[in-house]
Amino acid sequence: MPKWLKDAIFYEIYPQSFYDTNGDGIGDLQGIIEKLDYIRGLGFNALWLNPCFLSPFMDAGYDVQDYYTVAPRYGTNEDLYRLFKEAHKRGMHVILDLVPGHTSDKCKWFTESCKHERNQYSDRYIWTNYVWQRPYEYPLIAGNADRDGCYMLNFFLSQPALNYGFKDITHPEWQMSYTDKRVQATFDEMMNVMRFWLDNGADGFRVDMADSLVKNDEDKSATATLWRRARAMFDKDYPEAMLVSEWCNAPRAINMAGFHCDFILDHHNKLVHNASRNIVNGVNKSYFCKTAHMSAKDTFSCYLDELKQTKDNGYMSVISGNHDTPRISYTLDETETRLYFVMLLTLSGVPFVYYGDEIGMRFIPQPSKEGGYNRTGTRTPMQWDNTKKNLGFSTAETDKLYLDVDRTKNAPCAVQQLQDNGSLINCVRELNALRHAEEDLQADGDMQVLVCEDSGLLCYKRGKNTAVAFNPTDKALKLDFAVDNVLYCVGKITPSGKGTTLEPQTAVIFKL
Ligand code: GLC
Ligand code: CA
């Protein structure tokens, strides 16, 4: 287990929307380098960059054309190596986004695979033997290549599935076993990709759709054997590098597949969904919504269960949001957001904050850009400074911007919020600082629920003697013990008899 994860707080960057340094309207690697001090200054000591490799950008870069080359619009490989160096100088780690399940249909591996003549890439993707061989239970594309056969998709039309074979073989004519030498070469190549970037200074990978590799793999055990190979390579040659999966099943991702961390995402009513994004029939049921909230128990139970199952093997990663989710501010108002940040930054595991969530950037519905569809509203340019053109994101003319900046009145901006002690950004900065200072609050400190009531009252203990209590509702609620040694408080607490009243919308971190 990489030691640095214990005290890691990640900041996710969508490179095209972060900071443009050459005035072409799109964010770049130099822009990330120039903002490292900003990020570090807030207490984030690790970065996850969304894919920054050569791509036709039909899915914002999740359609990789060449795994070994940085997309020219972001800079060069040397710029990325420089970013690693500059981050390391500041005690920060940088992980890249690995997309192992599919490539772009413009990737050379795929265009070769499409050829009639057999070549070294013929088996790199999943093909049937004839164009008429097209069982409809699979997402197969017919008639789009010279090769006589249909190929399988993994996500969008532009993303053919790489061939890692099948676990349960239902069509032996064209499905290869996941143990077949020919498909093992696909994962060998992904290992080469990982080695290439690790050798050049990367600190690990966020793995896209990590559970999607072997097909007809219902219990995911075959896919897990592949990741076990990767983990063995990490343990041997890169013991301080990390792998975090987009799997959303921590027991499988961590215990079975060997990931160091797994994301808890919105699907399956996991913690993030229950806590911050739970909208049912138009009514906000989020735990942190001051009215109509869901119970603390329902919010927490799934997280606690997976935490127990994965304890000592790896970490759960809770997010403020990511490039696929609505912005946190879409469901929670500013006070509710602060309460959510108190939870995010005091839970066990490794937290991730999406760029701009620290200032409460808004979700801005708009037409799709680069395969974003309804996710586009979450991917608008970072808002740096409201005294500058395009809020400081870029000096380009507005119509040249990757996406327009938030033009609504009072769009939150980093520089202005930093000058205001009571701002959201300063709340996040203070919470990060507290997490770094209190070992109890870090990744592997114990997590024990002390109070969990239907009223909404929740209190958990972290590590030896640090506790966090929440009252997200619009009514005062009472804890039956004293809260004396307060480390941080959103809202207000008042002593009452032997207990403590948490006023409406309060979260408090304290020593027991
Ligand atoms: C993941 C990414 C998403 C992408 C998809 C296909 O879910 O987070 O942005 O579109 O995989 O690669
Ligand atoms: Ca640029």
Side-chain angles (χ1 to χ4, degrees):
M1 184 63 66
K3 288 182 287 299
W4 57 275
L5 286 181
K6 184 176 154 51
D7 186 28
I9 309 176
F10 271 87
Y11 189 76
E12 177 192 346
I13 295 180
Y14 187 71
Q16 45 275 63
S17 290
F18 199 56
Y19 184 48
D20 170 26
T21 55
N22 62 352
D24 64 354
I26 188 158
D28 41 55
L29 293 173
Q30 178 59 28
I32 299 175
I33 293 172
E34 290 182 23
K35 295 297 184 184
L36 283 175
D37 288 331
Y38 164 82
I39 301 164
R40 190 71 190 93
L42 295 180
F44 298 103
N45 55 8
L47 298 181
W48 155 29
L49 308 187
N50 290 114
C52 52
F53 312 107
L54 191 70
S55 168
F57 295 102
M58 295 298 286
D59 185 14
Y62 283 94
D63 47 331
V64 178
Q65 185 171 348
D66 179 353
Y67 289 90
Y68 297 96
T69 307
V70 163
R73 72 187 202 181
Y74 300 136
T76 62
N77 283 20
E78 278 62 39
D79 291 327
L80 187 51
Y81 307 155
R82 209 155 42 78
L83 167 56
F84 297 146
K85 269 208 205 82
E86 290 296 325
H88 294 160
K89 252 195 235 162
R90 292 164 173 81
M92 302 168 82
H93 291 84
V94 184
I95 68 169
L96 301 177
D97 213 313
L98 182 76
V99 188
H102 46 266
T103 66
S104 156
D105 56 2
K106 301 287 180 293
C107 176
K108 184 184 147 215
W109 305 347
F110 185 68
T111 54
E112 288 295 307
S113 197
C114 283
K115 290 187 177 159
H116 169 74
E117 302 79 28
R118 278 200 64 82
N119 59 57
Q120 69 176 112
Y121 300 104
S122 296
D123 297 321
R124 180 135 309 170
Y125 298 81
I126 302 173
W127 289 87
T128 65
N129 297 330
Y130 315 100
V131 77
W132 316 120
Q133 193 172 44
R134 199 180 349 154
Y136 287 105
E137 68 266 33
Y138 296 101
L140 292 166
I141 297 297
N144 199 32
D146 289 340
R147 175 171 172 170
D148 189 4
C150 304
Y151 61 88
M152 199 188 281
L153 300 180
N154 212 38
F155 199 68
F156 287 158
L157 179 60
S158 58
Q159 292 160 317
L162 282 161
N163 190 7
Y164 296 94
F166 288 72
K167 165 101 171 307
D168 297 325
I169 298 191
T170 50
H171 298 269
E173 322 81 66
W174 57 272
Q175 296 176 346
M176 295 177 197
S177 161
Y178 74 101
T179 58
D180 191 306
K181 281 243 151 34
R182 293 169 295 177
V183 307
Q184 300 236 331
T186 311
F187 200 73
D188 291 343
E189 187 57 31
M190 274 310 143
M191 301 256 275
N192 291 339
V193 170
M194 288 189 262
R195 276 192 189 281
F196 176 82
W197 291 108
L198 293 170
D199 289 341
N200 281 302
D203 297 296
F205 300 92
R206 174 267 186 185
V207 178
D208 185 70
M209 291 173 65
D211 66 334
S212 76
L213 306 194
V214 177
K215 306 306 182 201
N216 291 356
D217 181 20
E218 215 188 328
D219 66 0
K220 303 290 175 190
S221 57
T223 300
T225 59
L226 297 175
W227 292 114
R228 278 279 161 202
R229 279 179 61 199
R231 175 63 187 265
M233 174 178 92
F234 274 61
D235 285 349
K236 182 164 163 287
D237 295 336
Y238 308 98
E240 282 300 299
M242 71 98 80
L243 284 168
V244 52
S245 50
E246 185 193 40
W247 194 306
C248 319
N249 185 325
R252 283 184 175 178
I254 292 171
N255 299 347
M256 201 159 87
F259 279 92
H260 301 103
C261 303
D262 183 42
F263 284 114
I264 301 168
L265 299 180
D266 275 4
H267 1 297
H268 323 305
N269 286 352
K270 302 258 171 118
L271 177 77
V272 179
H273 182 78
N274 288 340
S276 70
R277 274 182 271 276
N278 197 347
I279 295 186
V280 181
N281 298 332
V283 180
N284 189 348
K285 300 269 189 198
S286 314
Y287 172 70
F288 288 108
C289 174
K290 65 178 174 293
T291 54
H293 66 92
M294 83 184 284
S295 78
K297 186 159 168 283
D298 289 343
T299 299
F300 241 51
S301 56
C302 184
Y303 165 81
L304 289 175
D305 176 52
E306 292 201 0
L307 185 67
K308 206 162 93 198
Q309 290 185 58
T310 53
K311 197 173 169 331
D312 301 328
N313 294 334
Y315 301 126
M316 318 256 285
S317 280
V318 182
I319 63 173
S320 67
N322 71 20
H323 60 291
D324 295 329
T325 71
R327 285 275 179 190
I328 185 171
S329 58
Y330 186 62
T331 33
L332 301 184
D333 69 21
E334 198 183 306
T335 306
E336 293 163 351
T337 301
R338 285 171 199 243
L339 300 178
Y340 183 66
F341 271 116
V342 172
M343 179 177 279
L344 174 68
L345 294 165
T346 60
L347 286 176
S348 108
V350 178
F352 281 69
V353 172
Y354 185 53
Y355 84 93
D357 280 350
E358 74 274 27
I359 54 172
M361 270 175 63
R362 299 176 182 131
F363 178 75
I364 302 167
Q366 59 189 294
S368 182
K369 173 90 178 188
E370 294 185 344
Y373 301 97
N374 63 339
R375 306 173 294 183
T376 306
T378 296
R379 301 176 174 185
T380 56
M382 176 66 187
Q383 295 148 210
W384 295 105
D385 183 345
N386 65 22
T387 65
K388 295 207 168 134
K389 185 171 178 182
N390 301 319
L391 304 180
F393 163 64
S394 168
T395 55
E397 291 313 312
T398 301
D399 61 348
K400 294 280 179 311
L401 298 182
Y402 173 76
L403 287 171
D404 199 1
V405 296
D406 182 352
R407 301 278 172 197
T408 51
K409 221 173 142 223
N410 303 325
C413 286
V415 168
Q416 283 69 34
Q417 281 203 17
L418 279 169
Q419 290 159 359
D420 168 5
N421 283 336
S423 64
L424 181 61
I425 205 172
N426 278 316
C427 167
V428 172
R429 193 176 52 77
E430 285 157 15
L431 286 165
N432 282 346
L434 189 61
R435 189 173 172 105
H436 292 311
E438 295 290 334
E439 217 186 320
D440 275 357
L441 294 176
Q442 296 170 7
D444 43 17
D446 245 14
M447 166 91 199
Q448 195 192 332
V449 175
L450 304 178
V451 179
C452 183
E453 290 175 3
D454 287 345
S455 63
L457 193 64
L458 172 70
C459 179
Y460 51 80
K461 181 176 136 191
R462 291 295 325 280
K464 277 199 219 73
N465 65 341
T466 307
V468 193
F470 296 90
N471 170 17
T473 74
D474 57 358
K475 296 175 191 62
L477 294 173
K478 199 176 154 194
L479 266 182
D480 60 12
F481 51 88
V483 173
D484 300 320
N485 197 347
V486 172
L487 299 175
Y488 194 81
C489 187
V490 172
K492 192 165 174 259
I493 58 168
T494 31
S496 92
K498 284 204 190 97
T500 308
T501 297
L502 270 65
E503 303 298 339
Q505 295 198 287
T506 290
V508 57
I509 309 174
F510 57 102
K511 284 287 180 192
L512 285 169

